[in-house]
Amino acid sequence: MRAETRFPFGSVVPLWSRQIPYTMAKFFFFEKVVQMFYDKVFTQPKDTYSKPTQLGITFASGYIAGVICAIVSHPADSMVSQLGKAENKGKSMGEIAKQLGVKNLCTKGLGTRVLMIGTLTGLQWWIYDSFKSAMGMGTTGGGSAKK
């Protein structure tokens, strides 16, 4: 089976094509969304909001960042899944993409992925900020410096 699916090294390029943009989007958009919430929605100083409110902002920001991650990484993740199928043995990524079509590669299963990755990413950031808060470091963000 391994020879048929090119596991593990036949998947390295598509895995990196998924994981690198996913991780970059996860951190970049989380920080930007937290900042946007504190700049545009929760405009009072961060320390005037309760910890549960701050952690709610963290979760919502993580969820939104996760949705973006899912969208950004979905085509490459779909390709990784296709490469693992025995019926695609010997096919190039280009052949598989042409066979599936760009629309299917980018959208098939995306709704489920958005729900799953959004929730997982929101929870990851919530756990991270909960730990930081418990250790006395506070939650992420606080808005842009006012000029």
Side-chain angles (χ1 to χ4, degrees):
M1 183 67 172
R2 284 185 175 191
E4 293 174 6
T5 61
R6 298 175 291 229
F7 178 84
F9 300 110
S11 304
V12 169
V13 170
L15 279 170
W16 286 348
S17 299
R18 173 196 70 191
Q19 201 59 40
I20 292 170
Y22 171 90
T23 304
M24 291 171 59
K26 181 179 184 175
F27 285 92
F28 178 81
F29 286 105
F30 173 72
E31 293 290 339
K32 291 297 181 185
V33 173
V34 166
Q35 180 180 328
M36 185 271 314
F37 269 126
Y38 282 114
D39 284 346
K40 308 285 184 196
V41 180
F42 297 89
T43 56
Q44 300 301 313
K46 183 175 93 167
D47 59 355
T48 64
Y49 298 106
S50 67
K51 288 297 175 199
T53 298
Q54 291 178 33
L55 290 170
I57 292 166
T58 294
F59 177 80
S61 299
Y63 191 90
I64 292 168
V67 168
I68 295 167
C69 290
I71 293 167
V72 165
S73 64
H74 189 69
D77 196 49
S78 295
M79 183 60 70
V80 170
S81 295
Q82 291 299 316
L83 286 170
K85 293 183 176 181
E87 63 261 29
N88 289 325
K89 175 186 173 187
K91 292 182 184 176
S92 70
M93 287 190 288
E95 290 171 320
I96 294 170
K98 187 174 181 179
Q99 178 184 339
L100 282 176
V102 174
K103 181 180 176 187
N104 280 336
L105 198 59
C106 294
T107 61
K108 189 174 181 184
L110 182 60
T112 303
R113 185 170 168 81
V114 161
L115 182 64
M116 179 186 75
I117 299 298
T119 304
L120 288 173
T121 304
L123 286 171
Q124 287 172 342
W125 285 114
W126 182 84
I127 291 166
Y128 172 72
D129 265 4
S130 294
F131 178 78
K132 280 176 48 183
S133 186
M135 296 295 116
M137 295 182 270
T139 59
T140 303
S144 301
K146 304 293 182 211
K147 295 188 178 178

